[in-house]
Amino acid sequence: MSGLTLSFSVHALGAVGTIGALALTAHTALNVRRLRRLPPDPPVVAERVSVLVPARNEAHRIAATITSLLGQRQLTDFEIVVLDDGSEDGTAEVVASTAGGDPRLRVLTGSDLPEGWLGKPHACQQLSDDATGSVLCFVDADVTLAPHAVAAAVALLRQTRLDALSPYPRQVAHGLGPRLVQPLIEWSWLTTLPLGVAERSPRPTLVAATGQFFVIDHDAYRRAGGHAAVADDVLDDVGLMRAVKRAGGRGVPVDGSALAACQMYDSWDELVEGYTKSLWSAFGSPAGATAVLAALGLVDVAPVAAALAGSRVGLLGYGAGVLGRTLVARSTGQPSLPDVLAHPVSVATFGYLVGRSLRARRRGALTWKGRPVPGGLTSQT
């Protein structure tokens, strides 16, 4: 290919990508306006709420989570149930010490993992079996909540007459790698998921959710089949929201960044391990992953390549991508400048992680916290 032909191709791809970037950024702006948010001053919740925490080897950080849960206000009747899922680091002891005998909290010991189940869905199912509340609030052991976060989530659930909602916490990221990748969690669905349509539509494909903070009506949970419906689903949070829709319910992601925070990973190595175990399943198939990565490359990387080759149109596309990231960052409590300027690098890094996850699956090397992941090893490590 001659230099002239190559330059033309780069400019042409950059122009097509710029059109896509402008369209997606316009959609992001619309979504940011439509995004439901947890109310800052919720009313008192009179019904019984079960706050459920699955925990496996979380001794190093669960104390902050438990402290924040014990400090919940605007709840007249609630219980906290923690399931110690075979921890080897004294997680249960840390929970008990932090609770200091508070009668609102109890710790369960998880049972052996049955055939066909992944660890987290099984832990969540055991928690739900023990729960006595009319609302179930699943909270991960790396999440901290403001004092009225649970009340706000339950109030929004009832006010909107939804069956489930997933308040996305503010993603706390330290270090270059996490700051490149973690903001893409919310950016991805705020850019691509039509929130208004998703709230009304019964289609299970129109969902987004995070298990970090997931609130669901107990009866709706039963109708959806509970976590048994997603027993072997690596992305059990998204799977559960889809199960709610398949059962005739409604559920949406909402912004919880003002009242909840989550630091998923403490380092780049932890982040790589975490994304490797799950990204292979995020797009349905390797072909689906390839298609998504190609689209991301076209919209978020090609304009930059064109801009570097002297294209003003490509520069416009890069600016649109940065603007989209800025809108999401400001809406969800994430850092904006200078992080958003590296948006194409973030997308390229994400592409690397997807590829790594697919390769690990092909090699049968998928594990998480010492347990095999479907498509990975067939015996426990």
Side-chain angles (χ1 to χ4, degrees):
M1 181 180 294
S2 68
L4 182 62
T5 303
L6 178 61
S7 177
F8 175 79
S9 298
V10 169
H11 281 247
L13 287 173
V16 173
T18 294
I19 294 172
L22 290 169
L24 287 176
T25 297
H27 184 252
T28 302
L30 182 63
N31 264 350
V32 166
R33 293 184 61 184
R34 288 179 171 174
L35 179 62
R36 293 190 182 275
R37 304 179 190 280
L38 296 185
D41 187 21
V44 173
V45 174
E47 60 187 306
R48 185 165 175 80
V49 178
S50 296
V51 182
L52 310 176
V53 185
R56 178 174 169 85
N57 293 332
E58 301 285 2
H60 61 297
R61 56 187 173 186
I62 198 170
T65 300
I66 299 303
T67 299
S68 74
L69 295 180
L70 291 170
Q72 290 303 297
R73 301 171 187 167
Q74 301 293 88
L75 299 172
T76 61
D77 186 14
F78 77 105
E79 62 179 349
I80 304 168
V81 189
V82 180
L83 184 128
D84 180 30
D85 188 20
S87 298
E88 300 171 343
D89 64 349
T91 292
E93 289 77 7
V94 172
V95 172
S97 174
T98 304
D102 193 307
R104 297 172 298 174
L105 183 146
R106 62 182 183 275
V107 179
L108 306 180
T109 300
S111 62
D112 292 339
L113 191 62
E115 184 71 24
W117 283 80
L118 282 174
K120 186 174 180 181
H122 185 235
C124 289
Q125 185 63 53
Q126 292 174 86
L127 285 164
S128 67
D129 290 342
D130 191 79
T132 60
S134 57
V135 177
L136 306 181
C137 177
F138 294 94
V139 179
D140 277 358
D142 52 8
V143 173
T144 55
L145 302 180
H148 51 287
V150 174
V154 175
L156 183 59
L157 181 78
R158 296 315 190 197
Q159 290 166 5
T160 57
R161 298 184 179 180
L162 292 168
D163 296 282
L165 56 84
S166 181
Y168 270 71
R170 177 173 57 86
Q171 300 299 312
V172 179
H174 299 297
L176 178 60
R179 287 181 65 169
L180 279 174
V181 176
Q182 288 303 91
L184 296 181
I185 293 177
E186 286 148 309
W187 170 82
S188 61
W189 58 266
L190 275 170
T191 299
T192 59
L193 180 68
L195 289 179
V197 176
E199 184 169 325
R200 299 186 301 270
S201 173
R203 295 181 60 183
T205 52
L206 291 175
V207 299
T210 175
Q212 296 170 358
F213 191 8
F214 194 104
V215 181
I216 184 168
D217 176 83
H218 203 157
D219 289 339
Y221 179 80
R222 292 192 186 100
R223 289 194 298 271
H227 277 83
V230 292
D232 62 351
D233 196 333
V234 176
L235 300 175
D236 58 281
D237 40 18
V238 175
L240 182 57
M241 193 68 86
R242 287 175 176 163
V244 168
K245 284 202 169 189
R246 283 194 294 267
R250 296 188 306 134
V252 292
V254 301
D255 177 39
S257 61
L259 302 180
C262 176
Q263 184 172 345
M264 290 178 67
Y265 306 112
D266 296 326
S267 67
W268 170 248
D269 288 343
E270 282 190 10
L271 182 146
V272 170
E273 182 184 3
Y275 276 86
T276 297
K277 63 96 176 174
S278 61
L279 280 181
W280 66 271
S281 68
F283 309 106
S285 67
T290 300
V292 170
L293 292 181
L296 287 173
L298 178 63
V299 171
D300 295 303
V301 179
V304 177
L308 292 174
S311 169
R312 293 183 179 180
V313 173
L315 187 60
L316 175 64
Y318 167 68
V322 168
L323 175 60
R325 276 287 299 277
T326 302
L327 292 173
V328 173
R330 291 181 175 178
S331 178
T332 59
Q334 299 291 336
S336 51
L337 292 173
D339 300 51
V340 297
L341 299 177
H343 178 59
V345 181
S346 294
V347 171
T349 304
F350 177 76
Y352 159 75
L353 293 171
V354 173
R356 190 179 192 277
S357 181
L358 291 170
R359 288 193 300 273
R361 188 196 180 207
R362 285 198 302 269
R363 294 197 307 268
L366 292 172
T367 62
W368 182 240
K369 293 191 175 182
R371 287 172 170 165
V373 175
L377 298 177
T378 57
S379 61
Q380 184 156 329
T381 60

